[in-house]
Amino acid sequence: VACPDDCTQALAGADAITADWSFASSPERIIAAGGQLQRGALALAATPLGESGYVYFGGIEPLATARAQIIVDPGMPAPLVEQCEAVLPRLFGDYEANMGVELPSAPLLFISWGGAERGGRSMGGGVAQDVVQLAISGAGWTQASSETSLAWFRFVAHEVMHLWNAQMFEPASRVDEWIAEGGADLFALRAMRDLGVGSERDYRAQIVEAANRCILRLEGRPLTAVLEQGDVETFYTCGAMAMFALDLRVQALTEGRLGIDDVFARMYAELQARGERRYDTAALLATAVALAGAPAIAEVEAITGGLQHDTDLFFARIFADAEWPVTRREDFAGSIDRELLIKTLAHKLARCDC
């Protein structure tokens, strides 16, 4: 695009500007990008200029599953790789059934290992142009346990969901990204339970932990504003709780016939019918109302608008509606840091007697 004086206006519409990319290496080397995998050379045509992406150059032979190709760092702990191979095809099937939309092509997964020099478990990921990038490090990942297995699956399932809610369809603006992140968290936990990676008890315990973190972090702020303040964790945990509450309410109002997956499937179908990709908070809530009536969105509006007081009672009522054996208590043994531990002095948190 020609903009010799000022490219600002042209780049503001970068989605409408495309570029052709060519990558080359020695004939035997693998190049992977944009959902494609070739040797020696690879071309991507008409790629939106505003989109980021991942490119791999190397000699690692990909693992081929029924639904994706995986390029795995040779240093990755073997049990995590084995879990991916075993569960990924079922995960993709579960998501396609829930979202009502099939992916147009098989994606690539890049899985990298940063070593075990430090303790704990670190992770970071992203999705761009049919590529899911997953990077982990820390000695905690090398310890074979159910906790490690659940943490790994939840991380992978969260990022894979973004192929639907952040790539095929995407939030219209930054303030609507709570839908993508909260939705990915909730659907990852549901898949963990439904695919037998974890139990119903594991699912409930992690939902209750998300509620506790939301209680301590939201502090009366609108959920749609916390990302602008750099508070990513609140975006995830409170977003997941908003989705959980919406699912419960839709199920109750439709006598169990519909749930959160039906809300997304309907919203995506309507976007496709209009030839659009972007959704916002208003579209999600309007879809829920159309399916289950206005009361369906009461809790979501409260969370996104900012819970001003009695946050712990608010979530206690949600768990009571779900008929979960959750009690409020002043002491909390969850995995929270010192800052959050201090904040617990002002709240009663939840314990799941699951």
PDB file of all heavy atoms in Angstrom, residues 69-107:
ATOM      1  N   GLN A  69      -1.499 -31.330  13.136  1.00  0.00           N
ATOM      2  CA  GLN A  69      -0.099 -31.722  13.091  1.00  0.00           C
ATOM      3  C   GLN A  69       0.633 -30.999  14.223  1.00  0.00           C
ATOM      4  O   GLN A  69       0.385 -29.808  14.455  1.00  0.00           O
ATOM      5  CB  GLN A  69       0.532 -31.383  11.746  1.00  0.00           C
ATOM      6  CG  GLN A  69      -0.065 -32.160  10.587  1.00  0.00           C
ATOM      7  CD  GLN A  69       0.782 -32.041   9.337  1.00  0.00           C
ATOM      8  OE1 GLN A  69       1.753 -32.761   9.148  1.00  0.00           O
ATOM      9  NE2 GLN A  69       0.409 -31.114   8.475  1.00  0.00           N
ATOM     10  N   ILE A  70       1.524 -31.696  14.882  1.00  0.00           N
ATOM     11  CA  ILE A  70       2.174 -31.151  16.070  1.00  0.00           C
ATOM     12  C   ILE A  70       3.684 -31.191  15.884  1.00  0.00           C
ATOM     13  O   ILE A  70       4.255 -32.251  15.600  1.00  0.00           O
ATOM     14  CB  ILE A  70       1.803 -31.957  17.333  1.00  0.00           C
ATOM     15  CG1 ILE A  70       0.304 -32.238  17.399  1.00  0.00           C
ATOM     16  CG2 ILE A  70       2.263 -31.228  18.580  1.00  0.00           C
ATOM     17  CD1 ILE A  70      -0.094 -33.195  18.496  1.00  0.00           C
ATOM     18  N   ILE A  71       4.315 -30.048  16.038  1.00  0.00           N
ATOM     19  CA  ILE A  71       5.773 -29.976  16.049  1.00  0.00           C
ATOM     20  C   ILE A  71       6.197 -29.818  17.500  1.00  0.00           C
ATOM     21  O   ILE A  71       5.890 -28.809  18.142  1.00  0.00           O
ATOM     22  CB  ILE A  71       6.291 -28.820  15.183  1.00  0.00           C
ATOM     23  CG1 ILE A  71       5.933 -29.081  13.717  1.00  0.00           C
ATOM     24  CG2 ILE A  71       7.802 -28.656  15.346  1.00  0.00           C
ATOM     25  CD1 ILE A  71       6.339 -27.987  12.769  1.00  0.00           C
ATOM     26  N   VAL A  72       6.877 -30.837  18.010  1.00  0.00           N
ATOM     27  CA  VAL A  72       7.169 -30.914  19.443  1.00  0.00           C
ATOM     28  C   VAL A  72       8.658 -30.777  19.699  1.00  0.00           C
ATOM     29  O   VAL A  72       9.477 -31.477  19.083  1.00  0.00           O
ATOM     30  CB  VAL A  72       6.677 -32.258  20.036  1.00  0.00           C
ATOM     31  CG1 VAL A  72       6.923 -32.306  21.530  1.00  0.00           C
ATOM     32  CG2 VAL A  72       5.202 -32.470  19.731  1.00  0.00           C
ATOM     33  N   ASP A  73       9.024 -29.893  20.595  1.00  0.00           N
ATOM     34  CA  ASP A  73      10.401 -29.776  21.064  1.00  0.00           C
ATOM     35  C   ASP A  73      10.850 -31.134  21.621  1.00  0.00           C
ATOM     36  O   ASP A  73      10.152 -31.719  22.457  1.00  0.00           O
ATOM     37  CB  ASP A  73      10.438 -28.715  22.170  1.00  0.00           C
ATOM     38  CG  ASP A  73      11.844 -28.335  22.591  1.00  0.00           C
ATOM     39  OD1 ASP A  73      12.691 -29.239  22.695  1.00  0.00           O
ATOM     40  OD2 ASP A  73      12.091 -27.149  22.837  1.00  0.00           O
ATOM     41  N   PRO A  74      11.986 -31.656  21.179  1.00  0.00           N
ATOM     42  CA  PRO A  74      12.443 -32.972  21.673  1.00  0.00           C
ATOM     43  C   PRO A  74      12.645 -33.032  23.180  1.00  0.00           C
ATOM     44  O   PRO A  74      12.633 -34.116  23.765  1.00  0.00           O
ATOM     45  CB  PRO A  74      13.776 -33.186  20.944  1.00  0.00           C
ATOM     46  CG  PRO A  74      13.695 -32.318  19.737  1.00  0.00           C
ATOM     47  CD  PRO A  74      12.888 -31.125  20.149  1.00  0.00           C
ATOM     48  N   GLY A  75      12.808 -31.885  23.824  1.00  0.00           N
ATOM     49  CA  GLY A  75      13.018 -31.882  25.271  1.00  0.00           C
ATOM     50  C   GLY A  75      11.749 -31.946  26.093  1.00  0.00           C
ATOM     51  O   GLY A  75      11.799 -32.056  27.329  1.00  0.00           O
ATOM     52  N   MET A  76      10.588 -31.880  25.434  1.00  0.00           N
ATOM     53  CA  MET A  76       9.316 -31.896  26.170  1.00  0.00           C
ATOM     54  C   MET A  76       9.176 -33.164  27.000  1.00  0.00           C
ATOM     55  O   MET A  76       9.488 -34.261  26.521  1.00  0.00           O
ATOM     56  CB  MET A  76       8.148 -31.821  25.191  1.00  0.00           C
ATOM     57  CG  MET A  76       7.746 -30.422  24.786  1.00  0.00           C
ATOM     58  SD  MET A  76       6.967 -29.493  26.125  1.00  0.00           S
ATOM     59  CE  MET A  76       5.443 -30.394  26.329  1.00  0.00           C
ATOM     60  N   PRO A  77       8.687 -33.054  28.266  1.00  0.00           N
ATOM     61  CA  PRO A  77       8.412 -34.260  29.059  1.00  0.00           C
ATOM     62  C   PRO A  77       7.479 -35.210  28.305  1.00  0.00           C
ATOM     63  O   PRO A  77       6.407 -34.805  27.829  1.00  0.00           O
ATOM     64  CB  PRO A  77       7.749 -33.693  30.322  1.00  0.00           C
ATOM     65  CG  PRO A  77       8.288 -32.303  30.443  1.00  0.00           C
ATOM     66  CD  PRO A  77       8.430 -31.817  29.020  1.00  0.00           C
ATOM     67  N   ALA A  78       7.872 -36.460  28.195  1.00  0.00           N
ATOM     68  CA  ALA A  78       7.155 -37.437  27.373  1.00  0.00           C
ATOM     69  C   ALA A  78       5.684 -37.600  27.752  1.00  0.00           C
ATOM     70  O   ALA A  78       4.827 -37.707  26.861  1.00  0.00           O
ATOM     71  CB  ALA A  78       7.868 -38.785  27.426  1.00  0.00           C
ATOM     72  N   PRO A  79       5.308 -37.641  29.047  1.00  0.00           N
ATOM     73  CA  PRO A  79       3.893 -37.824  29.381  1.00  0.00           C
ATOM     74  C   PRO A  79       2.990 -36.720  28.823  1.00  0.00           C
ATOM     75  O   PRO A  79       1.836 -36.984  28.473  1.00  0.00           O
ATOM     76  CB  PRO A  79       3.880 -37.826  30.917  1.00  0.00           C
ATOM     77  CG  PRO A  79       5.258 -38.252  31.306  1.00  0.00           C
ATOM     78  CD  PRO A  79       6.154 -37.654  30.274  1.00  0.00           C
ATOM     79  N   LEU A  80       3.515 -35.498  28.716  1.00  0.00           N
ATOM     80  CA  LEU A  80       2.708 -34.401  28.190  1.00  0.00           C
ATOM     81  C   LEU A  80       2.476 -34.578  26.685  1.00  0.00           C
ATOM     82  O   LEU A  80       1.383 -34.306  26.167  1.00  0.00           O
ATOM     83  CB  LEU A  80       3.385 -33.065  28.478  1.00  0.00           C
ATOM     84  CG  LEU A  80       3.734 -32.783  29.943  1.00  0.00           C
ATOM     85  CD1 LEU A  80       4.280 -31.371  30.104  1.00  0.00           C
ATOM     86  CD2 LEU A  80       2.513 -32.984  30.837  1.00  0.00           C
ATOM     87  N   VAL A  81       3.508 -35.031  25.994  1.00  0.00           N
ATOM     88  CA  VAL A  81       3.374 -35.285  24.559  1.00  0.00           C
ATOM     89  C   VAL A  81       2.376 -36.414  24.326  1.00  0.00           C
ATOM     90  O   VAL A  81       1.507 -36.345  23.449  1.00  0.00           O
ATOM     91  CB  VAL A  81       4.737 -35.634  23.934  1.00  0.00           C
ATOM     92  CG1 VAL A  81       4.573 -35.923  22.438  1.00  0.00           C
ATOM     93  CG2 VAL A  81       5.736 -34.499  24.152  1.00  0.00           C
ATOM     94  N   GLU A  82       2.482 -37.469  25.113  1.00  0.00           N
ATOM     95  CA  GLU A  82       1.575 -38.617  24.961  1.00  0.00           C
ATOM     96  C   GLU A  82       0.131 -38.209  25.214  1.00  0.00           C
ATOM     97  O   GLU A  82      -0.787 -38.681  24.527  1.00  0.00           O
ATOM     98  CB  GLU A  82       2.002 -39.726  25.923  1.00  0.00           C
ATOM     99  CG  GLU A  82       3.339 -40.366  25.549  1.00  0.00           C
ATOM    100  CD  GLU A  82       3.919 -41.214  26.670  1.00  0.00           C
ATOM    101  OE1 GLU A  82       3.234 -41.360  27.721  1.00  0.00           O
ATOM    102  OE2 GLU A  82       5.043 -41.718  26.518  1.00  0.00           O
ATOM    103  N   GLN A  83      -0.081 -37.341  26.198  1.00  0.00           N
ATOM    104  CA  GLN A  83      -1.446 -36.880  26.469  1.00  0.00           C
ATOM    105  C   GLN A  83      -1.997 -36.116  25.277  1.00  0.00           C
ATOM    106  O   GLN A  83      -3.159 -36.295  24.887  1.00  0.00           O
ATOM    107  CB  GLN A  83      -1.482 -36.005  27.715  1.00  0.00           C
ATOM    108  CG  GLN A  83      -2.902 -35.594  28.114  1.00  0.00           C
ATOM    109  CD  GLN A  83      -2.932 -34.550  29.206  1.00  0.00           C
ATOM    110  OE1 GLN A  83      -2.675 -33.372  28.957  1.00  0.00           O
ATOM    111  NE2 GLN A  83      -3.223 -34.977  30.432  1.00  0.00           N
ATOM    112  N   CYS A  84      -1.168 -35.269  24.671  1.00  0.00           N
ATOM    113  CA  CYS A  84      -1.599 -34.519  23.492  1.00  0.00           C
ATOM    114  C   CYS A  84      -2.026 -35.452  22.369  1.00  0.00           C
ATOM    115  O   CYS A  84      -3.098 -35.282  21.770  1.00  0.00           O
ATOM    116  CB  CYS A  84      -0.454 -33.625  22.991  1.00  0.00           C
ATOM    117  SG  CYS A  84      -0.624 -31.910  23.467  1.00  0.00           S
ATOM    118  N   GLU A  85      -1.199 -36.425  22.066  1.00  0.00           N
ATOM    119  CA  GLU A  85      -1.508 -37.356  20.979  1.00  0.00           C
ATOM    120  C   GLU A  85      -2.814 -38.102  21.240  1.00  0.00           C
ATOM    121  O   GLU A  85      -3.614 -38.336  20.328  1.00  0.00           O
ATOM    122  CB  GLU A  85      -0.374 -38.354  20.805  1.00  0.00           C
ATOM    123  CG  GLU A  85       0.898 -37.763  20.202  1.00  0.00           C
ATOM    124  CD  GLU A  85       1.925 -38.834  19.920  1.00  0.00           C
ATOM    125  OE1 GLU A  85       2.712 -39.163  20.831  1.00  0.00           O
ATOM    126  OE2 GLU A  85       1.924 -39.352  18.787  1.00  0.00           O
ATOM    127  N   ALA A  86      -3.029 -38.477  22.494  1.00  0.00           N
ATOM    128  CA  ALA A  86      -4.206 -39.280  22.828  1.00  0.00           C
ATOM    129  C   ALA A  86      -5.491 -38.467  22.864  1.00  0.00           C
ATOM    130  O   ALA A  86      -6.555 -38.944  22.454  1.00  0.00           O
ATOM    131  CB  ALA A  86      -3.983 -39.978  24.171  1.00  0.00           C
ATOM    132  N   VAL A  87      -5.416 -37.230  23.351  1.00  0.00           N
ATOM    133  CA  VAL A  87      -6.632 -36.476  23.662  1.00  0.00           C
ATOM    134  C   VAL A  87      -7.006 -35.462  22.586  1.00  0.00           C
ATOM    135  O   VAL A  87      -8.191 -35.145  22.419  1.00  0.00           O
ATOM    136  CB  VAL A  87      -6.479 -35.774  25.031  1.00  0.00           C
ATOM    137  CG1 VAL A  87      -7.688 -34.919  25.356  1.00  0.00           C
ATOM    138  CG2 VAL A  87      -6.258 -36.796  26.134  1.00  0.00           C
ATOM    139  N   LEU A  88      -6.043 -34.950  21.837  1.00  0.00           N
ATOM    140  CA  LEU A  88      -6.339 -33.871  20.899  1.00  0.00           C
ATOM    141  C   LEU A  88      -7.465 -34.190  19.918  1.00  0.00           C
ATOM    142  O   LEU A  88      -8.359 -33.355  19.708  1.00  0.00           O
ATOM    143  CB  LEU A  88      -5.086 -33.465  20.137  1.00  0.00           C
ATOM    144  CG  LEU A  88      -4.265 -32.323  20.743  1.00  0.00           C
ATOM    145  CD1 LEU A  88      -3.050 -32.029  19.873  1.00  0.00           C
ATOM    146  CD2 LEU A  88      -5.093 -31.060  20.919  1.00  0.00           C
ATOM    147  N   PRO A  89      -7.470 -35.355  19.272  1.00  0.00           N
ATOM    148  CA  PRO A  89      -8.579 -35.616  18.333  1.00  0.00           C
ATOM    149  C   PRO A  89      -9.946 -35.524  18.989  1.00  0.00           C
ATOM    150  O   PRO A  89     -10.902 -34.972  18.415  1.00  0.00           O
ATOM    151  CB  PRO A  89      -8.285 -37.042  17.844  1.00  0.00           C
ATOM    152  CG  PRO A  89      -6.813 -37.201  18.006  1.00  0.00           C
ATOM    153  CD  PRO A  89      -6.476 -36.441  19.253  1.00  0.00           C
ATOM    154  N   ARG A  90     -10.069 -36.023  20.204  1.00  0.00           N
ATOM    155  CA  ARG A  90     -11.352 -35.951  20.921  1.00  0.00           C
ATOM    156  C   ARG A  90     -11.673 -34.528  21.340  1.00  0.00           C
ATOM    157  O   ARG A  90     -12.836 -34.109  21.343  1.00  0.00           O
ATOM    158  CB  ARG A  90     -11.315 -36.882  22.129  1.00  0.00           C
ATOM    159  CG  ARG A  90     -11.260 -38.362  21.727  1.00  0.00           C
ATOM    160  CD  ARG A  90     -10.796 -39.230  22.869  1.00  0.00           C
ATOM    161  NE  ARG A  90     -11.556 -38.991  24.086  1.00  0.00           N
ATOM    162  CZ  ARG A  90     -11.062 -39.112  25.315  1.00  0.00           C
ATOM    163  NH1 ARG A  90      -9.815 -39.475  25.503  1.00  0.00           N
ATOM    164  NH2 ARG A  90     -11.812 -38.885  26.360  1.00  0.00           N
ATOM    165  N   LEU A  91     -10.641 -33.762  21.688  1.00  0.00           N
ATOM    166  CA  LEU A  91     -10.852 -32.364  22.077  1.00  0.00           C
ATOM    167  C   LEU A  91     -11.411 -31.566  20.906  1.00  0.00           C
ATOM    168  O   LEU A  91     -12.371 -30.798  21.063  1.00  0.00           O
ATOM    169  CB  LEU A  91      -9.551 -31.750  22.577  1.00  0.00           C
ATOM    170  CG  LEU A  91      -9.611 -30.267  22.955  1.00  0.00           C
ATOM    171  CD1 LEU A  91     -10.523 -30.052  24.161  1.00  0.00           C
ATOM    172  CD2 LEU A  91      -8.208 -29.724  23.247  1.00  0.00           C
ATOM    173  N   PHE A  92     -10.823 -31.736  19.725  1.00  0.00           N
ATOM    174  CA  PHE A  92     -11.323 -31.025  18.550  1.00  0.00           C
ATOM    175  C   PHE A  92     -12.764 -31.434  18.247  1.00  0.00           C
ATOM    176  O   PHE A  92     -13.596 -30.588  17.908  1.00  0.00           O
ATOM    177  CB  PHE A  92     -10.425 -31.305  17.343  1.00  0.00           C
ATOM    178  CG  PHE A  92      -9.200 -30.429  17.290  1.00  0.00           C
ATOM    179  CD1 PHE A  92      -8.009 -30.840  17.861  1.00  0.00           C
ATOM    180  CD2 PHE A  92      -9.238 -29.193  16.680  1.00  0.00           C
ATOM    181  CE1 PHE A  92      -6.877 -30.045  17.826  1.00  0.00           C
ATOM    182  CE2 PHE A  92      -8.114 -28.374  16.636  1.00  0.00           C
ATOM    183  CZ  PHE A  92      -6.928 -28.808  17.206  1.00  0.00           C
ATOM    184  N   GLY A  93     -13.055 -32.719  18.367  1.00  0.00           N
ATOM    185  CA  GLY A  93     -14.421 -33.176  18.133  1.00  0.00           C
ATOM    186  C   GLY A  93     -15.403 -32.589  19.126  1.00  0.00           C
ATOM    187  O   GLY A  93     -16.522 -32.198  18.763  1.00  0.00           O
ATOM    188  N   ASP A  94     -14.989 -32.506  20.391  1.00  0.00           N
ATOM    189  CA  ASP A  94     -15.845 -31.942  21.430  1.00  0.00           C
ATOM    190  C   ASP A  94     -16.137 -30.469  21.153  1.00  0.00           C
ATOM    191  O   ASP A  94     -17.289 -30.028  21.242  1.00  0.00           O
ATOM    192  CB  ASP A  94     -15.141 -32.101  22.790  1.00  0.00           C
ATOM    193  CG  ASP A  94     -15.963 -31.564  23.948  1.00  0.00           C
ATOM    194  OD1 ASP A  94     -16.988 -32.182  24.287  1.00  0.00           O
ATOM    195  OD2 ASP A  94     -15.577 -30.517  24.523  1.00  0.00           O
ATOM    196  N   TYR A  95     -15.113 -29.722  20.784  1.00  0.00           N
ATOM    197  CA  TYR A  95     -15.299 -28.295  20.521  1.00  0.00           C
ATOM    198  C   TYR A  95     -16.156 -28.062  19.273  1.00  0.00           C
ATOM    199  O   TYR A  95     -16.998 -27.159  19.250  1.00  0.00           O
ATOM    200  CB  TYR A  95     -13.948 -27.606  20.367  1.00  0.00           C
ATOM    201  CG  TYR A  95     -13.241 -27.311  21.674  1.00  0.00           C
ATOM    202  CD1 TYR A  95     -11.923 -26.860  21.682  1.00  0.00           C
ATOM    203  CD2 TYR A  95     -13.878 -27.475  22.893  1.00  0.00           C
ATOM    204  CE1 TYR A  95     -11.265 -26.572  22.869  1.00  0.00           C
ATOM    205  CE2 TYR A  95     -13.233 -27.190  24.084  1.00  0.00           C
ATOM    206  CZ  TYR A  95     -11.920 -26.745  24.071  1.00  0.00           C
ATOM    207  OH  TYR A  95     -11.269 -26.453  25.259  1.00  0.00           O
ATOM    208  N   GLU A  96     -15.929 -28.851  18.238  1.00  0.00           N
ATOM    209  CA  GLU A  96     -16.736 -28.670  17.030  1.00  0.00           C
ATOM    210  C   GLU A  96     -18.207 -28.957  17.306  1.00  0.00           C
ATOM    211  O   GLU A  96     -19.092 -28.256  16.804  1.00  0.00           O
ATOM    212  CB  GLU A  96     -16.207 -29.568  15.915  1.00  0.00           C
ATOM    213  CG  GLU A  96     -14.892 -29.071  15.328  1.00  0.00           C
ATOM    214  CD  GLU A  96     -14.386 -29.927  14.188  1.00  0.00           C
ATOM    215  OE1 GLU A  96     -14.899 -31.062  14.018  1.00  0.00           O
ATOM    216  OE2 GLU A  96     -13.482 -29.473  13.469  1.00  0.00           O
ATOM    217  N   ALA A  97     -18.464 -29.979  18.116  1.00  0.00           N
ATOM    218  CA  ALA A  97     -19.851 -30.285  18.465  1.00  0.00           C
ATOM    219  C   ALA A  97     -20.468 -29.165  19.289  1.00  0.00           C
ATOM    220  O   ALA A  97     -21.628 -28.772  19.069  1.00  0.00           O
ATOM    221  CB  ALA A  97     -19.916 -31.604  19.235  1.00  0.00           C
ATOM    222  N   ASN A  98     -19.715 -28.620  20.241  1.00  0.00           N
ATOM    223  CA  ASN A  98     -20.234 -27.558  21.104  1.00  0.00           C
ATOM    224  C   ASN A  98     -20.433 -26.242  20.358  1.00  0.00           C
ATOM    225  O   ASN A  98     -21.408 -25.524  20.590  1.00  0.00           O
ATOM    226  CB  ASN A  98     -19.298 -27.330  22.287  1.00  0.00           C
ATOM    227  CG  ASN A  98     -19.366 -28.445  23.309  1.00  0.00           C
ATOM    228  OD1 ASN A  98     -20.384 -29.125  23.426  1.00  0.00           O
ATOM    229  ND2 ASN A  98     -18.292 -28.660  24.037  1.00  0.00           N
ATOM    230  N   MET A  99     -19.488 -25.887  19.491  1.00  0.00           N
ATOM    231  CA  MET A  99     -19.549 -24.600  18.800  1.00  0.00           C
ATOM    232  C   MET A  99     -20.432 -24.643  17.561  1.00  0.00           C
ATOM    233  O   MET A  99     -20.790 -23.609  17.007  1.00  0.00           O
ATOM    234  CB  MET A  99     -18.143 -24.149  18.390  1.00  0.00           C
ATOM    235  CG  MET A  99     -17.183 -23.922  19.560  1.00  0.00           C
ATOM    236  SD  MET A  99     -17.710 -22.616  20.692  1.00  0.00           S
ATOM    237  CE  MET A  99     -18.423 -23.579  22.033  1.00  0.00           C
ATOM    238  N   GLY A 100     -20.740 -25.859  17.083  1.00  0.00           N
ATOM    239  CA  GLY A 100     -21.566 -25.982  15.895  1.00  0.00           C
ATOM    240  C   GLY A 100     -20.864 -25.591  14.617  1.00  0.00           C
ATOM    241  O   GLY A 100     -21.507 -25.375  13.584  1.00  0.00           O
ATOM    242  N   VAL A 101     -19.525 -25.488  14.662  1.00  0.00           N
ATOM    243  CA  VAL A 101     -18.748 -25.052  13.502  1.00  0.00           C
ATOM    244  C   VAL A 101     -17.483 -25.891  13.412  1.00  0.00           C
ATOM    245  O   VAL A 101     -16.766 -26.046  14.405  1.00  0.00           O
ATOM    246  CB  VAL A 101     -18.341 -23.560  13.609  1.00  0.00           C
ATOM    247  CG1 VAL A 101     -17.648 -23.105  12.330  1.00  0.00           C
ATOM    248  CG2 VAL A 101     -19.527 -22.682  13.907  1.00  0.00           C
ATOM    249  N   GLU A 102     -17.198 -26.417  12.229  1.00  0.00           N
ATOM    250  CA  GLU A 102     -15.959 -27.149  12.018  1.00  0.00           C
ATOM    251  C   GLU A 102     -14.858 -26.199  11.556  1.00  0.00           C
ATOM    252  O   GLU A 102     -15.116 -25.233  10.836  1.00  0.00           O
ATOM    253  CB  GLU A 102     -16.158 -28.243  10.962  1.00  0.00           C
ATOM    254  CG  GLU A 102     -17.059 -29.378  11.397  1.00  0.00           C
ATOM    255  CD  GLU A 102     -17.094 -30.504  10.377  1.00  0.00           C
ATOM    256  OE1 GLU A 102     -16.301 -30.447   9.406  1.00  0.00           O
ATOM    257  OE2 GLU A 102     -17.905 -31.423  10.564  1.00  0.00           O
ATOM    258  N   LEU A 103     -13.633 -26.476  11.976  1.00  0.00           N
ATOM    259  CA  LEU A 103     -12.508 -25.692  11.482  1.00  0.00           C
ATOM    260  C   LEU A 103     -12.329 -25.963   9.993  1.00  0.00           C
ATOM    261  O   LEU A 103     -12.478 -27.095   9.532  1.00  0.00           O
ATOM    262  CB  LEU A 103     -11.228 -26.065  12.228  1.00  0.00           C
ATOM    263  CG  LEU A 103     -11.194 -25.738  13.725  1.00  0.00           C
ATOM    264  CD1 LEU A 103      -9.902 -26.260  14.342  1.00  0.00           C
ATOM    265  CD2 LEU A 103     -11.339 -24.249  13.977  1.00  0.00           C
ATOM    266  N   PRO A 104     -11.979 -24.931   9.215  1.00  0.00           N
ATOM    267  CA  PRO A 104     -11.851 -25.131   7.764  1.00  0.00           C
ATOM    268  C   PRO A 104     -10.653 -25.985   7.371  1.00  0.00           C
ATOM    269  O   PRO A 104     -10.633 -26.566   6.285  1.00  0.00           O
ATOM    270  CB  PRO A 104     -11.716 -23.705   7.224  1.00  0.00           C
ATOM    271  CG  PRO A 104     -11.207 -22.904   8.378  1.00  0.00           C
ATOM    272  CD  PRO A 104     -11.798 -23.520   9.599  1.00  0.00           C
ATOM    273  N   SER A 105      -9.641 -26.072   8.235  1.00  0.00           N
ATOM    274  CA  SER A 105      -8.457 -26.869   7.925  1.00  0.00           C
ATOM    275  C   SER A 105      -7.826 -27.357   9.219  1.00  0.00           C
ATOM    276  O   SER A 105      -8.106 -26.839  10.298  1.00  0.00           O
ATOM    277  CB  SER A 105      -7.442 -26.047   7.118  1.00  0.00           C
ATOM    278  OG  SER A 105      -7.045 -24.895   7.858  1.00  0.00           O
ATOM    279  N   ALA A 106      -6.966 -28.368   9.088  1.00  0.00           N
ATOM    280  CA  ALA A 106      -6.278 -28.900  10.270  1.00  0.00           C
ATOM    281  C   ALA A 106      -5.189 -27.931  10.690  1.00  0.00           C
ATOM    282  O   ALA A 106      -4.332 -27.558   9.883  1.00  0.00           O
ATOM    283  CB  ALA A 106      -5.677 -30.266   9.949  1.00  0.00           C
ATOM    284  N   PRO A 107      -5.182 -27.502  11.945  1.00  0.00           N
ATOM    285  CA  PRO A 107      -4.179 -26.536  12.394  1.00  0.00           C
ATOM    286  C   PRO A 107      -2.838 -27.205  12.714  1.00  0.00           C
ATOM    287  O   PRO A 107      -2.719 -28.430  12.768  1.00  0.00           O
ATOM    288  CB  PRO A 107      -4.806 -25.964  13.660  1.00  0.00           C
ATOM    289  CG  PRO A 107      -5.630 -27.091  14.193  1.00  0.00           C
ATOM    290  CD  PRO A 107      -6.154 -27.826  12.990  1.00  0.00           C
TER     291      PRO A 107
END
